Amino acid sequence: MWTETVSAQHVTDLAWIPDPTRGVEAEITLASVPAAPVGVEIVLSHDGEVLAECTTAVRTPRSRIDLVVPALRNGIDREDLLWSPERPTLIDARVTVRDAATSQVLDTVASYVGLRSAGVGRGSFLLNNRPYYVRSVLNQGYRPDTLIANSGTGELRREVELIKAMGFNAVRIHQKAEDPRFLYWADRLGLLVWGETGAAYEYGTEAVELLTREWLDMVRRDRSHPSIVTWVPVNESWGCSDVANDPAQQAYTIALANLTRALDPTRPVMSNEGWEHTDSDIMGVHDYSSDPELLTRRYGDVAGFEALLASPGPAGRTLSLDARQTERYRAGEVPLMVTEFGGLSVGAEEDEFSYTRTSSDTQYAALLGEIFGVLHTSPIVAGFCYTQFMDTAQETNGLLYTDGSPKLPLETIRRIVTGTEAAPEEKPLADEG
């Protein structure tokens, strides 16, 4: 939290919509309707070099301003500016609002932009219009002493660094609106994020209204983070438990997905993560089987997954409720991802929860390697999300214990997650604030 003194006319909201082939669009909201036109200056720079700048006379409280970045026209120069987990390049941005008559500065805002695109097609998740295999981990963000509160930006940075050190290139935030400081470190250090929010307890008109308002506010708040590449307004039919049979609840999930696309058409959206999809851009499947042979039958080839599509599904829930959703998958427009799996524990007590228990480190490592291996070798799976990052309360299915210590050596976890030999640990950034 902080306080600052601002002029009566100032910037209240600033959003960036990147187009990696052309430039960026700035969406600027002022505190009020200008009594007279104000000048808005925008400068984009990288490593001290100005990439684009413009000055526009603004007469309305909300304006959208296009900035063309000439360097993006050249393919080699473009590669140097694109954002990705492997190369999280950020473009510095400065917005200045001036009194048009006197040139007096009314407000200045410092920001940053990540030039990248996120989408789906050709049976894959697409990052910067290229197939990108997603290796994600589920993170509920609970701490033993503070629940979903954190001790500060340092702790959040360490979480991002640890997720990357374990071999993941993405994280699925589960049932919470994430702290913007976590998203800042994901932007700066290079980690894809699936944005989610807490579910309603049950379906009803008030729940629909409250969750929709909260969700749209969250999308507006977080949409400029380049790390966020997928939106998840509904998970596992929570808050709409009768969606398979209730047309109203189906309409609700479809409407949420389309409202999200209307507000932000630049990212894939999940209408209902895990099963009972009504209109999702990714066919996300939650499958907690720990039998490698069964997982191979389900995801080892197209025929195996077609049989799963026609069945009640891994959790007894139909995967797709809409024929158009299924056909989009078959046409390659919607990639298949196993977006929750695993849930293994080691040495768990009887009153502790996990999907599969193992009795020793050796058994745990072997089974973990086998189930990851099935997904790595699948010709049809475009990515995965392992459950989960850290033990949470009674749930002992994390890769870390609640104190943050890993259940296996980090290099072993990284080898299993990536399906390769352990790579050198990435060097963290110097401390910033």
Side-chain angles (χ1 to χ4, degrees):
M1 296 288 292
W2 73 90
T3 59
E4 61 178 315
T5 300
V6 295
S7 301
Q9 187 62 282
H10 60 276
V11 176
T12 60
D13 187 63
L14 173 63
W16 303 103
I17 302 111
D19 177 353
T21 66
R22 186 173 181 276
V24 64
E25 181 179 62
E27 185 178 290
I28 299 170
T29 303
L30 299 176
S32 61
V33 178
V38 296
V40 174
E41 303 170 3
I42 305 176
V43 179
L44 303 181
S45 61
H46 179 59
D47 284 345
E49 177 186 353
V50 173
L51 300 175
E53 57 185 331
C54 74
T55 300
T56 304
V58 171
R59 297 170 172 82
T60 58
R62 292 181 181 84
S63 58
R64 296 170 76 107
I65 301 171
D66 284 314
L67 284 92
V68 175
V69 177
L72 295 175
R73 295 170 184 157
N74 179 278
I76 296 175
D77 291 340
R78 181 187 301 166
E79 290 300 315
D80 289 338
L81 296 176
L82 293 181
W83 186 97
S84 69
E86 293 73 27
R87 191 172 182 175
T89 301
L90 295 175
I91 309 302
D92 295 318
R94 188 180 73 251
V95 177
T96 304
V97 180
R98 294 179 183 273
D99 183 299
T102 66
S103 295
Q104 176 187 358
V105 174
L106 303 176
D107 195 15
T108 301
V109 177
S111 183
Y112 62 82
V113 182
L115 293 173
R116 65 102 190 91
S117 64
V120 294
R122 309 194 295 275
S124 298
F125 178 83
L126 302 177
L127 184 66
N128 297 323
N129 205 34
R130 297 171 185 165
Y132 190 90
Y133 194 86
V134 176
R135 303 188 306 270
S136 183
V137 65
L138 193 78
N139 185 14
Q140 301 194 57
Y142 277 82
R143 286 97 183 163
D145 300 324
T146 59
L147 300 181
I148 61 172
N150 59 76
S151 64
T153 186
E155 181 180 31
L156 297 172
R157 172 180 173 167
R158 287 191 295 274
E159 283 189 9
V160 173
E161 290 177 329
L162 186 52
I163 290 169
K164 286 178 66 74
M166 295 163 80
F168 297 102
N169 55 27
V171 61
R172 181 176 153 215
I173 304 303
H174 192 45
Q175 288 301 292
K176 63 176 292 198
E178 188 51 272
D179 189 314
R181 294 172 299 174
F182 181 95
L183 300 176
Y184 167 84
W185 286 116
D187 293 341
R188 190 156 293 279
L189 298 176
L191 184 69
L192 303 183
V193 176
W194 285 32
E196 190 173 315
T197 192
Y201 179 72
E202 61 185 6
Y203 182 78
T205 54
E206 184 178 17
V208 168
E209 180 182 351
L210 292 175
L211 188 136
T212 300
R213 183 184 301 124
E214 180 180 286
W215 173 250
L216 296 183
D217 285 347
M218 177 183 146
V219 171
R220 282 184 58 83
R221 186 195 72 174
D222 294 342
R223 61 189 165 139
S224 294
H225 288 282
S227 57
I228 295 183
V229 294
T230 305
W231 294 119
V232 184
V234 180
N235 172 70
E236 289 187 347
S237 306
W238 294 353
C240 50
S241 56
D242 297 314
V243 67
N245 306 303
D246 184 354
Q249 294 185 32
Q250 293 172 17
Y252 170 55
T253 60
I254 293 169
L256 265 180
N258 281 324
L259 277 171
T260 306
R261 294 185 185 108
L263 193 60
D264 176 18
T266 69
R267 295 170 170 92
V269 180
M270 307 294 281
S271 61
N272 187 14
E273 231 287 77
W275 54 60
E276 297 176 338
H277 292 276
T278 52
D279 183 14
S280 293
D281 295 318
I282 296 169
M283 184 72 80
V285 181
H286 294 180
D287 190 337
Y288 283 104
S289 170
S290 59
D291 181 350
E293 292 185 2
L294 177 58
L295 291 173
T296 299
R297 289 199 298 273
R298 289 173 173 171
Y299 309 105
D301 54 34
V302 172
F305 187 66
E306 283 290 338
L308 191 64
L309 268 175
S311 76
R317 301 289 192 110
T318 302
L319 295 180
S320 175
L321 298 180
D322 188 274
R324 290 169 296 180
Q325 173 83 37
T326 304
E327 288 310 310
R328 288 177 66 207
Y329 157 71
R330 289 173 177 154
E333 299 171 11
V334 172
L336 166 64
M337 293 190 190
V338 181
T339 46
E340 284 187 28
F341 79 105
L344 276 58
S345 68
V346 56
E349 301 293 335
E350 282 300 319
D351 60 345
E352 294 175 325
F353 173 81
S354 69
Y355 291 93
T356 299
R357 296 170 181 266
T358 63
S359 58
S360 68
D361 291 353
T362 301
Q363 184 187 24
Y364 177 70
L367 186 55
L368 200 64
E370 287 185 278
I371 61 176
F372 268 95
V374 170
L375 300 184
H376 280 304
T377 57
S378 168
I380 61 172
V381 171
F384 57 72
C385 179
Y386 183 80
T387 303
Q388 62 182 316
F389 175 59
M390 181 184 291
D391 286 354
T392 298
Q394 82 281 3
E395 297 182 15
T396 58
N397 47 21
L399 292 166
L400 309 176
Y401 293 106
T402 54
D403 64 0
S405 60
K407 296 181 179 179
L408 295 171
L410 278 181
E411 58 269 23
T412 301
I413 295 175
R414 185 182 183 95
R415 175 176 54 80
I416 291 170
V417 169
T418 61
T420 60
E421 292 301 315
E425 186 172 336
E426 297 182 30
K427 184 179 180 181
L429 296 180
D431 286 337
E432 297 188 24

